[in-house]
C-alpha cells in the first residue's frame, strides 16, 4: 500500500524510481490500529526552470506513522532524511537487510 501511494504521489514529477520497504523495521500496535513503517527511495527529480541541470538524483530514507480505519489508511504522518552528500554512506536500494543495518544503524538487529 505504501509503495502504491508513494508512486502515485510523484507521478509526472520524478522518474527512474526505486523503492524498498524495510519490513524488518515495521511496527504494529497490538492494541490500536496504528503502525510505523520505513522505506528507502531513489528517483530522478525534474527540476523546472533549471536549464543547467534538468534532473537531480534524490535518495532518502522515510518513515511514516499510519492510523487505519479497517483496511484503509485514515491518517498518514511522514518523516524523511536525505541520504545524499559526501558524509552519507547510502547503502542503495539493492542492499540486503543485513547491509542496511550495518550502514544505516551501525549495529546489528537484536
Amino acid at each position: 500500500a505504501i509503495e502504491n501511494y508513494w508512486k502515485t504521489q510523484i507521478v509526472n514529477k520524478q522518474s527512474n524510481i526505486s523503492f524498498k520497504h524495510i519490513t524488518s523495521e515495521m511496527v504494529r500496535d497490538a492494541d490500536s490500529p496504528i503502525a510505523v513503517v520505513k522505506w528507502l527511495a531513489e528517483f530522478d527529480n525534474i527540476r523546472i526552470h533549471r536549464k543547467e541541470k534538468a534532473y537531480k538524483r534524490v535518495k532518502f530514507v522515510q518513515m511514516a506513522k499510519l492510523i487505519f480505519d479497517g483496511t484503509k489508511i485514515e491518517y498518514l504522518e511522514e518523516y524523511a532524511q536525505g541520504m545524499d552528500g559526501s558524509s552519507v554512506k547510502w547503502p542503495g536500494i539493492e542492499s540486503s537487510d543485513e547491509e542496511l543495518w550495518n550502514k544505516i544503524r551501525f549495529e546489528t538487529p537484536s
Side-chain angles (χ1 to χ4, degrees):
I2 295 167
E3 182 176 8
N4 185 43
Y5 156 80
W6 196 81
K7 285 183 176 180
T8 302
Q9 293 300 309
I10 61 174
V11 171
N12 297 326
K13 298 175 188 172
Q14 287 87 23
S15 61
N16 196 21
I17 300 164
S18 297
F19 175 94
K20 182 173 185 176
H21 179 207
I22 310 301
T23 56
S24 63
E25 294 195 42
M26 184 169 59
V27 179
R28 172 114 198 273
D29 188 320
D31 299 322
S32 61
I34 299 173
V36 177
V37 295
K38 181 178 182 178
W39 63 91
L40 304 174
E42 295 182 12
F43 55 85
D44 293 329
N45 189 38
I46 297 171
R47 302 175 76 185
I48 300 171
H49 307 299
R50 299 273 178 110
K51 294 177 185 176
E52 70 281 354
K53 191 172 182 183
Y55 293 89
K56 177 183 178 184
R57 189 74 179 158
V58 176
K59 303 174 184 180
F60 62 86
V61 59
Q62 193 161 12
M63 295 182 77
K65 174 185 174 181
L66 307 171
I67 299 177
F68 294 90
D69 180 11
T71 60
K72 297 187 184 261
I73 297 169
E74 72 173 0
Y75 177 79
L76 168 67
E77 184 177 321
E78 296 176 286
Y79 301 91
Q81 176 179 344
M83 298 297 288
D84 273 334
S86 59
S87 64
V88 177
K89 294 175 176 55
W90 173 249
I93 294 293
E94 67 284 342
S95 299
S96 68
D97 285 350
E98 183 179 350
E99 288 172 308
L100 292 172
W101 275 99
N102 291 335
K103 292 182 180 178
I104 294 175
R105 305 279 301 224
F106 303 108
E107 61 185 57
T108 56
S110 54

